[in-house]
Amino acid sequence: VQLQASGGGLVQAGGSLRLSCAASGRIVRIDDMAWYRQAPGKERELVATVANGGGTKYTDSVQGRFTISRGTVKNTWYLQMNSLKPEDTAVYYCNAHGLTTLTEMDVLVVDGMDYWGEGTQVTVSS
């Protein structure tokens, strides 16, 4: 399983960016898709999650500005970030949890591991 994140960049305060994540591999189902971020000198924090049923959760600081969604293409998800602030500057990581995958022998396996993308830099200038 591999996750590939994209869409970061440099934007002025008040601007918007859309991050994308695509998971590849013999994935049958992903229960929880999420975005985390890590700013310099700070711990990685959870930004938003979307469950398989569509339920979403956000950290307070992005509520009302960011929207997480599952894509129409299987095993893709997005983070639409509006009204960006300098404090949103961080490396953003996509995360997948609760995967059901097929082995080479076509056996379904459910695991509780966390899978991570490499991260994409978001920089918001004031």
Side-chain angles (χ1 to χ4, degrees):
V1 175
Q2 290 188 325
L3 274 58
Q4 181 66 49
S6 61
L10 173 63
V11 64
Q12 289 188 333
S16 298
L17 283 173
R18 188 192 195 209
L19 304 183
S20 302
C21 188
S24 60
R26 304 193 77 196
I27 302 169
V28 174
R29 169 188 166 123
I30 300 176
D31 284 342
D32 297 302
M33 297 171 170
W35 288 94
Y36 286 72
R37 67 185 179 187
Q38 187 166 19
K42 295 187 177 181
E43 294 188 354
R44 189 173 297 188
E45 68 167 343
L46 177 62
V47 176
T49 63
V50 56
N52 191 53
T56 58
K57 294 182 180 180
Y58 299 91
T59 190
D60 288 346
S61 62
V62 308
Q63 185 76 43
R65 300 188 297 121
F66 290 11
T67 302
I68 188 171
S69 61
R70 290 182 176 240
T72 55
V73 174
K74 190 176 180 181
N75 301 328
T76 60
W77 59 105
Y78 305 96
L79 185 68
Q80 177 67 43
M81 305 185 293
N82 299 328
S83 302
L84 282 160
K85 303 176 181 180
E87 51 264 43
D88 294 318
T89 295
V91 178
Y92 285 70
Y93 299 89
C94 57
N95 168 276
H97 182 81
L99 269 64
T100 301
T101 57
L102 272 176
T103 69
E104 291 182 355
M105 299 298 291
D106 288 340
V107 174
L108 286 173
V109 175
V110 180
D111 72 58
M113 291 175 57
D114 280 300
Y115 294 85
W116 297 92
E118 288 189 353
T120 184
Q121 177 70 46
V122 172
T123 302
V124 184
S125 63
S126 57

